Coordinates of all heavy atoms in Angstrom, one line a residue:
M26 N 113.6 107.8 -11.7 CA 114.1 108.3 -10.4 C 113.2 109.5 -10.0 O 112.9 110.3 -10.8 CB 115.5 108.8 -10.8 CG 116.5 108.5 -9.7 SD 118.1 109.2 -10.0 CE 119.1 107.7 -10.3
S27 N 113.0 109.6 -8.8 CA 112.1 110.6 -8.2 C 112.9 111.9 -8.0 O 114.1 111.9 -8.0 CB 111.5 110.2 -6.9 OG 112.4 110.1 -5.9
F28 N 112.1 113.0 -7.8 CA 112.7 114.3 -7.6 C 113.6 114.3 -6.3 O 114.7 114.9 -6.3 CB 111.6 115.3 -7.6 CG 112.1 116.7 -7.3 CD1 112.8 117.4 -8.3 CD2 112.0 117.4 -6.1 CE1 113.3 118.7 -8.2 CE2 112.4 118.6 -5.9 CZ 113.1 119.3 -6.9
L29 N 113.1 113.6 -5.3 CA 113.8 113.6 -4.0 C 115.2 112.9 -4.1 O 116.2 113.4 -3.6 CB 113.0 112.9 -2.9 CG 113.6 112.8 -1.6 CD1 113.8 114.2 -1.0 CD2 112.7 111.9 -0.7
S30 N 115.2 111.8 -4.9 CA 116.5 111.1 -5.0 C 117.5 111.9 -5.8 O 118.7 111.9 -5.6 CB 116.2 109.7 -5.7 OG 115.7 109.9 -7.0
I31 N 117.0 112.7 -6.8 CA 117.9 113.5 -7.6 C 118.5 114.6 -6.7 O 119.7 114.9 -6.8 CB 117.2 114.1 -8.8 CG1 116.9 113.0 -9.8 CG2 118.0 115.2 -9.5 CD1 116.0 113.4 -10.9
I32 N 117.7 115.2 -5.9 CA 118.1 116.3 -5.0 C 119.1 115.7 -4.0 O 120.2 116.3 -3.7 CB 116.9 116.9 -4.2 CG1 116.0 117.7 -5.2 CG2 117.4 117.9 -3.2 CD1 116.7 118.8 -6.0
V33 N 118.9 114.5 -3.4 CA 119.8 113.9 -2.5 C 121.1 113.6 -3.1 O 122.2 113.8 -2.5 CB 119.1 112.7 -1.8 CG1 120.1 111.9 -1.0 CG2 118.0 113.1 -0.9
I34 N 121.1 113.1 -4.3 CA 122.3 112.8 -5.0 C 123.1 114.0 -5.3 O 124.4 114.0 -5.2 CB 122.0 111.9 -6.3 CG1 121.6 110.6 -5.9 CG2 123.3 111.8 -7.2 CD1 121.1 109.7 -7.1
I35 N 122.5 115.1 -5.7 CA 123.2 116.4 -6.0 C 123.8 116.9 -4.7 O 125.0 117.3 -4.7 CB 122.2 117.4 -6.6 CG1 121.9 117.0 -8.0 CG2 122.8 118.8 -6.6 CD1 120.8 117.8 -8.7
V36 N 123.1 116.9 -3.6 CA 123.7 117.3 -2.3 C 124.9 116.4 -1.9 O 125.9 116.9 -1.5 CB 122.6 117.3 -1.2 CG1 123.2 117.5 0.2 CG2 121.5 118.4 -1.5
H37 N 124.7 115.1 -2.2 CA 125.8 114.2 -1.9 C 127.1 114.5 -2.7 O 128.2 114.5 -2.2 CB 125.3 112.8 -2.2 CG 126.3 111.7 -1.8 ND1 126.6 111.4 -0.5 CD2 127.1 110.9 -2.6 CE1 127.4 110.4 -0.5 NE2 127.8 110.1 -1.7
I38 N 126.9 114.8 -3.9 CA 128.1 115.2 -4.8 C 128.7 116.5 -4.3 O 129.9 116.6 -4.3 CB 127.6 115.3 -6.3 CG1 127.3 113.9 -6.8 CG2 128.7 115.9 -7.1 CD1 126.6 113.8 -8.1
V39 N 127.9 117.5 -4.0 CA 128.4 118.7 -3.5 C 129.2 118.5 -2.2 O 130.3 119.1 -2.0 CB 127.3 119.8 -3.3 CG1 127.7 121.0 -2.5 CG2 126.7 120.2 -4.6
L40 N 128.7 117.7 -1.3 CA 129.4 117.4 -0.1 C 130.7 116.7 -0.3 O 131.7 117.0 0.3 CB 128.5 116.6 0.9 CG 127.4 117.3 1.6 CD1 126.5 116.3 2.3 CD2 127.9 118.3 2.5
A41 N 130.7 115.8 -1.3 CA 131.9 115.0 -1.7 C 133.0 116.0 -2.2 O 134.2 115.9 -1.8 CB 131.6 114.0 -2.7
V42 N 132.6 116.9 -3.1 CA 133.5 117.9 -3.6 C 134.1 118.8 -2.5 O 135.3 119.1 -2.5 CB 132.9 118.7 -4.7 CG1 133.8 119.9 -5.2 CG2 132.6 117.8 -5.9
G43 N 133.2 119.2 -1.6 CA 133.6 120.0 -0.4 C 134.6 119.3 0.5 O 135.6 119.9 0.9
V44 N 134.4 118.0 0.7 CA 135.3 117.3 1.6 C 136.7 117.2 0.9 O 137.7 117.4 1.5 CB 134.7 115.9 1.9 CG1 135.8 114.9 2.5 CG2 133.6 116.0 2.8
I45 N 136.7 116.9 -0.4 CA 137.9 116.8 -1.2 C 138.7 118.1 -1.2 O 139.9 118.1 -0.9 CB 137.6 116.3 -2.6 CG1 137.2 114.8 -2.6 CG2 138.9 116.4 -3.5 CD1 136.6 114.4 -3.9
F46 N 137.9 119.2 -1.4 CA 138.6 120.5 -1.5 C 139.2 120.8 -0.1 O 140.4 121.3 -0.1 CB 137.5 121.6 -1.8 CG 138.1 123.0 -1.8 CD1 138.9 123.4 -2.8 CD2 137.8 123.8 -0.8 CE1 139.4 124.7 -2.8 CE2 138.3 125.1 -0.7 CZ 139.1 125.5 -1.8
F47 N 138.5 120.7 1.0 CA 139.1 121.1 2.3 C 140.2 120.1 2.7 O 141.1 120.5 3.4 CB 138.0 121.3 3.3 CG 137.2 122.6 3.2 CD1 136.0 122.6 2.6 CD2 137.8 123.7 3.6 CE1 135.3 123.8 2.5 CE2 137.2 125.0 3.4 CZ 135.9 125.0 2.9
A48 N 140.1 118.8 2.4 CA 141.1 117.9 2.7 C 142.4 118.3 1.9 O 143.5 118.3 2.5 CB 140.7 116.5 2.3
L49 N 142.3 118.7 0.7 CA 143.5 119.1 -0.1 C 144.0 120.4 0.4 O 145.2 120.6 0.4 CB 143.1 119.2 -1.6 CG 142.9 117.9 -2.3 CD1 142.5 118.2 -3.7 CD2 144.1 117.0 -2.3
Q50 N 143.2 121.3 0.9 CA 143.6 122.6 1.5 C 144.5 122.3 2.8 O 145.5 122.9 3.0 CB 142.5 123.5 1.9 CG 141.8 124.1 0.7 CD 142.7 125.1 0.0 OE1 143.3 124.8 -1.0 NE2 142.8 126.3 0.6
K51 N 144.0 121.3 3.6 CA 144.7 121.0 4.8 C 146.0 120.3 4.5 O 147.1 120.6 5.1 CB 143.8 120.1 5.7 CG 144.4 119.8 7.0 CD 144.5 121.1 7.8 CE 145.0 120.7 9.2 NZ 145.3 121.9 10.0
M52 N 146.1 119.5 3.5 CA 147.3 118.8 3.1 C 148.3 119.8 2.6 O 149.5 119.8 2.9 CB 147.0 117.8 2.0 CG 146.4 116.5 2.6 SD 145.9 115.3 1.3 CE 147.5 115.1 0.4
R53 N 147.8 120.8 1.8 CA 148.7 121.8 1.2 C 149.3 122.7 2.4 O 150.4 123.1 2.3 CB 147.9 122.7 0.2 CG 148.8 123.8 -0.4 CD 148.0 124.5 -1.4 NE 146.9 125.3 -0.7 CZ 147.0 126.6 -0.4 NH1 148.0 127.3 -0.8 NH2 146.0 127.1 0.2
E54 N 148.4 123.0 3.4 CA 148.8 123.8 4.5 C 149.9 123.2 5.3 O 150.8 123.8 5.8 CB 147.6 124.1 5.4 CG 147.8 124.9 6.6 CD 146.5 125.0 7.4 OE1 145.5 125.5 6.8 OE2 146.5 124.6 8.5
T55 N 149.9 121.9 5.5 CA 150.8 121.2 6.4 C 152.0 120.6 5.7 O 152.9 120.0 6.3 CB 150.1 120.1 7.2 OG1 149.5 119.2 6.4 CG2 149.1 120.7 8.2
S56 N 152.0 120.6 4.3 CA 153.0 119.9 3.6 C 154.4 120.6 3.6 O 155.4 120.0 3.5 CB 152.6 119.7 2.1 OG 152.5 121.0 1.5
D57 N 154.4 121.9 3.8 CA 155.6 122.7 3.8 C 156.4 122.5 5.1 O 157.7 122.6 5.1 CB 155.4 124.1 3.5 CG 154.5 124.8 4.4 OD1 153.8 124.1 5.2 OD2 154.4 126.1 4.4
R58 N 155.7 122.3 6.2 CA 156.4 122.3 7.5 C 156.8 120.8 7.8 O 156.0 119.9 7.8 CB 155.5 122.8 8.6 CG 155.1 124.2 8.4 CD 154.2 124.6 9.5 NE 152.9 123.9 9.3 CZ 151.9 124.0 10.1 NH1 151.9 124.6 11.2 NH2 150.7 123.4 9.8
G59 N 158.1 120.6 8.1 CA 158.6 119.3 8.5 C 158.8 118.4 7.4 O 159.3 117.3 7.7
G60 N 158.6 118.7 6.2 CA 158.8 117.8 5.1 C 160.3 117.5 4.8 O 160.7 116.4 4.4
A61 N 161.1 118.4 5.2 CA 162.6 118.2 5.0 C 163.2 117.2 6.0 O 164.2 116.7 5.7 CB 163.3 119.6 5.1
F62 N 162.5 117.0 7.1 CA 163.0 116.1 8.1 C 162.4 114.7 8.0 O 162.7 113.8 8.8 CB 162.6 116.6 9.5 CG 163.2 118.0 9.7 CD1 162.4 119.1 9.8 CD2 164.6 118.2 9.8 CE1 162.9 120.4 9.9 CE2 165.1 119.5 10.0 CZ 164.2 120.6 10.1
G63 N 161.6 114.4 6.9 CA 161.1 113.1 6.7 C 159.8 112.8 7.5 O 159.4 111.6 7.5
G64 N 159.2 113.7 8.0 CA 157.9 113.5 8.7 C 157.0 114.6 8.5 O 157.3 115.6 7.8
G65 N 155.8 114.5 8.9 CA 154.8 115.5 8.8 C 155.0 116.6 9.8 O 156.0 116.6 10.6
S66 N 154.1 117.6 9.8 CA 154.3 118.7 10.7 C 154.2 118.3 12.2 O 154.7 118.9 13.1 CB 153.3 119.8 10.4 OG 152.0 119.3 10.6
G67 N 153.4 117.2 12.4 CA 153.3 116.7 13.8 C 154.5 116.1 14.3 O 154.7 116.1 15.5
A68 N 155.3 115.5 13.4 CA 156.5 114.9 13.9 C 157.6 115.8 14.4 O 158.4 115.5 15.3 CB 157.1 114.0 12.8
V69 N 157.6 117.0 13.8 CA 158.7 117.9 14.1 C 158.2 119.0 15.1 O 158.9 119.3 16.1 CB 159.2 118.6 12.8 CG1 160.3 119.7 13.2 CG2 159.8 117.6 11.9
F70 N 157.1 119.6 14.8 CA 156.6 120.8 15.6 C 155.6 120.4 16.6 O 155.1 121.3 17.3 CB 156.1 121.8 14.6 CG 157.1 122.3 13.6 CD1 157.0 121.9 12.3 CD2 158.1 123.1 14.0 CE1 158.0 122.3 11.4 CE2 159.1 123.5 13.1 CZ 159.0 123.1 11.8
G71 N 155.2 119.2 16.8 CA 154.2 118.8 17.8 C 152.8 119.0 17.2 O 152.6 119.5 16.1
R72 N 151.8 118.5 17.9 CA 150.4 118.6 17.5 C 149.9 120.0 17.7 O 150.1 120.6 18.7 CB 149.6 117.6 18.3 CG 148.2 117.5 17.8 CD 147.4 116.5 18.6 NE 146.0 116.3 18.2 CZ 145.1 117.2 18.3 NH1 145.4 118.4 18.9 NH2 143.9 117.0 17.9
E73 N 149.1 120.4 16.7 CA 148.4 121.7 16.9 C 147.3 121.6 17.9 O 146.6 120.6 17.9 CB 147.9 122.2 15.5 CG 148.9 122.4 14.5 CD 148.3 122.9 13.2 OE1 147.1 123.1 13.1 OE2 149.0 123.0 12.2
K74 N 147.1 122.6 18.7 CA 146.0 122.6 19.6 C 144.8 123.2 19.0 O 144.8 124.3 18.5 CB 146.4 123.5 20.9 CG 147.7 123.0 21.5 CD 147.5 121.7 22.2 CE 148.8 121.4 23.0 NZ 149.5 120.2 22.7
G75 N 143.7 122.4 19.1 CA 142.4 122.9 18.5 C 142.4 122.8 17.0 O 143.3 122.3 16.4
L76 N 141.3 123.2 16.4 CA 141.1 123.2 15.0 C 141.0 124.6 14.4 O 140.3 125.4 15.1 CB 139.9 122.4 14.6 CG 139.9 120.9 15.0 CD1 138.5 120.3 14.8 CD2 140.9 120.2 14.3
D77 N 141.6 124.8 13.3 CA 141.3 126.1 12.6 C 140.0 126.1 11.9 O 139.3 125.1 11.9 CB 142.5 126.5 11.7 CG 142.7 125.5 10.6 OD1 142.2 124.3 10.7 OD2 143.4 125.8 9.6
K78 N 139.7 127.2 11.2 CA 138.4 127.3 10.5 C 138.2 126.3 9.4 O 137.2 125.6 9.3 CB 138.3 128.7 10.0 CG 137.0 129.0 9.3 CD 136.9 130.4 8.8 CE 135.6 130.6 8.0 NZ 135.5 131.9 7.4
N79 N 139.3 126.1 8.6 CA 139.2 125.1 7.5 C 139.0 123.7 8.0 O 138.3 122.9 7.5 CB 140.4 125.2 6.6 CG 140.4 126.4 5.7 OD1 139.3 127.0 5.5 ND2 141.5 126.8 5.2
S80 N 139.7 123.4 9.1 CA 139.6 122.0 9.7 C 138.2 121.8 10.3 O 137.7 120.7 10.1 CB 140.6 121.8 10.8 OG 141.9 121.9 10.3
K81 N 137.6 122.8 10.9 CA 136.2 122.6 11.4 C 135.2 122.4 10.2 O 134.3 121.6 10.3 CB 135.8 123.9 12.2 CG 136.5 123.9 13.5 CD 136.1 125.2 14.3 CE 136.9 125.3 15.6 NZ 136.5 126.5 16.3
I82 N 135.4 123.2 9.1 CA 134.6 123.0 8.0 C 134.7 121.6 7.4 O 133.8 121.0 7.0 CB 134.8 124.1 6.9 CG1 134.5 125.5 7.5 CG2 134.1 123.8 5.6 CD1 134.9 126.6 6.6
A83 N 136.0 121.2 7.3 CA 136.2 119.8 6.7 C 135.6 118.7 7.6 O 135.1 117.8 7.1 CB 137.7 119.6 6.6
L84 N 135.7 118.9 8.9 CA 135.1 117.9 9.8 C 133.6 117.9 9.7 O 133.0 116.8 9.6 CB 135.5 118.3 11.3 CG 135.0 117.4 12.3 CD1 135.5 115.9 12.2 CD2 135.3 117.9 13.7
T85 N 133.0 119.1 9.6 CA 131.6 119.2 9.5 C 131.1 118.6 8.2 O 130.1 117.8 8.1 CB 131.1 120.6 9.6 OG1 131.6 121.2 10.8 CG2 129.6 120.7 9.5
L86 N 131.8 118.9 7.1 CA 131.5 118.3 5.8 C 131.6 116.8 5.8 O 130.9 116.1 5.2 CB 132.3 118.9 4.7 CG 131.9 120.4 4.3 CD1 132.9 120.9 3.3 CD2 130.5 120.4 3.8
G87 N 132.7 116.3 6.4 CA 132.9 114.9 6.5 C 131.8 114.2 7.2 O 131.3 113.1 6.8
I88 N 131.3 114.7 8.3 CA 130.2 114.1 9.1 C 128.9 114.2 8.3 O 128.2 113.2 8.2 CB 130.0 114.9 10.4 CG1 131.2 114.5 11.3 CG2 128.7 114.4 11.1 CD1 131.3 115.4 12.6
L89 N 128.7 115.3 7.6 CA 127.5 115.4 6.8 C 127.6 114.4 5.6 O 126.5 113.9 5.2 CB 127.3 116.9 6.2 CG 126.9 117.9 7.3 CD1 126.9 119.3 6.7 CD2 125.5 117.6 7.9
F90 N 128.8 114.2 5.0 CA 128.9 113.3 3.9 C 128.6 111.9 4.4 O 128.0 111.1 3.6 CB 130.4 113.4 3.4 CG 130.6 112.5 2.2 CD1 130.1 112.7 1.0 CD2 131.4 111.3 2.4 CE1 130.4 111.9 -0.1 CE2 131.6 110.5 1.4 CZ 131.1 110.7 0.1
M91 N 129.1 111.5 5.6 CA 128.8 110.2 6.1 C 127.3 110.0 6.2 O 126.7 108.9 5.8 CB 129.4 110.0 7.5 CG 129.2 108.6 8.0 SD 129.8 108.5 9.7 CE 128.6 109.4 10.6
F92 N 126.6 110.9 6.8 CA 125.1 110.8 6.9 C 124.5 110.8 5.5 O 123.5 110.1 5.2 CB 124.5 111.9 7.7 CG 124.8 111.7 9.2 CD1 125.4 112.6 9.9 CD2 124.4 110.5 9.8 CE1 125.7 112.4 11.3 CE2 124.7 110.3 11.2 CZ 125.3 111.3 11.9
S93 N 125.0 111.6 4.6 CA 124.5 111.6 3.2 C 124.7 110.3 2.5 O 123.8 109.9 1.7 CB 125.2 112.7 2.4 OG 124.9 112.7 1.1
C94 N 125.8 109.6 2.8 CA 126.0 108.2 2.2 C 124.8 107.3 2.7 O 124.3 106.6 1.8 CB 127.3 107.6 2.7 SG 128.7 108.4 2.0
F95 N 124.5 107.3 3.9 CA 123.4 106.5 4.4 C 122.1 106.9 3.8 O 121.3 106.0 3.4 CB 123.3 106.5 5.9 CG 124.5 105.9 6.7 CD1 125.2 106.6 7.6 CD2 124.8 104.6 6.4 CE1 126.3 106.0 8.2 CE2 125.9 104.0 7.1 CZ 126.6 104.7 8.0
L96 N 121.8 108.2 3.7 CA 120.6 108.7 3.1 C 120.5 108.3 1.7 O 119.4 107.9 1.2 CB 120.5 110.2 3.3 CG 119.2 110.9 2.9 CD1 118.1 110.4 3.9 CD2 119.3 112.4 3.1
V97 N 121.5 108.5 0.9 CA 121.5 108.1 -0.5 C 121.2 106.6 -0.7 O 120.4 106.2 -1.5 CB 122.8 108.5 -1.3 CG1 122.9 107.8 -2.6 CG2 122.9 110.0 -1.4
T98 N 121.8 105.8 0.1 CA 121.6 104.3 0.1 C 120.2 104.0 0.4 O 119.6 103.2 -0.3 CB 122.6 103.6 1.0 OG1 123.9 104.0 0.7 CG2 122.4 102.1 0.9
W99 N 119.6 104.7 1.4 CA 118.3 104.4 1.8 C 117.2 104.8 0.8 O 116.3 104.1 0.6 CB 118.0 105.1 3.2 CG 116.7 104.8 3.8 CD1 116.2 103.6 4.1 CD2 115.7 105.8 4.1 NE1 114.9 103.7 4.6 CE2 114.6 105.1 4.6 CE3 115.7 107.1 4.0 CZ2 113.5 105.7 5.1 CZ3 114.5 107.8 4.5 CH2 113.5 107.1 5.0
I100 N 117.4 106.0 0.2 CA 116.4 106.6 -0.7 C 116.5 105.9 -2.1 O 115.5 105.6 -2.7 CB 116.6 108.1 -0.8 CG1 116.1 108.7 0.5 CG2 115.8 108.6 -2.0 CD1 116.2 110.2 0.5
V101 N 117.7 105.7 -2.6 CA 117.9 105.1 -3.9 C 117.6 103.6 -3.9 O 117.0 103.1 -4.9 CB 119.3 105.4 -4.5 CG1 119.5 104.8 -5.8 CG2 119.5 107.0 -4.6
A102 N 117.9 102.9 -2.9 CA 117.8 101.4 -2.9 C 116.3 101.0 -2.8 O 115.5 101.7 -2.4 CB 118.6 100.8 -1.8

């Protein structure tokens, strides 16, 4: 395995952990509101307008992770 493929795989793993972390943060944030009524927070309180800081980071990491998947496939294969 070349040095470049090792670096790309390490970056891919870091992005995956980041996506998981921020997705769990968002789930924890919205789980307390509206859970008693049998729906998510969007079902009771309406949709939130815009994205907060954690949601923007999660979205960015998700997009980078998608490109990283393609890059890892291309470099390793």
Side-chain angles (χ1 to χ4, degrees):
M26 221 185 249
S27 70
F28 180 72
L29 179 63
S30 63
I31 292 172
I32 295 297
V33 168
I34 289 172
I35 290 172
V36 168
H37 184 71
I38 291 171
V39 169
L40 287 172
V42 170
V44 167
I45 291 169
F46 175 76
F47 282 103
L49 289 176
Q50 287 294 101
K51 187 65 176 169
M52 286 175 55
R53 184 180 62 102
E54 178 183 301
T55 59
S56 66
D57 56 347
R58 298 179 289 176
F62 303 109
S66 63
V69 177
F70 300 107
R72 186 182 180 288
E73 295 179 7
K74 304 291 189 241
L76 296 174
D77 61 342
K78 182 180 176 184
N79 284 343
S80 296
K81 288 180 184 178
I82 293 172
L84 179 65
T85 304
L86 286 176
I88 292 169
L89 290 175
F90 180 75
M91 182 187 70
F92 287 122
S93 174
C94 289
F95 292 124
L96 188 63
V97 166
T98 303
W99 183 59
I100 289 181
V101 173

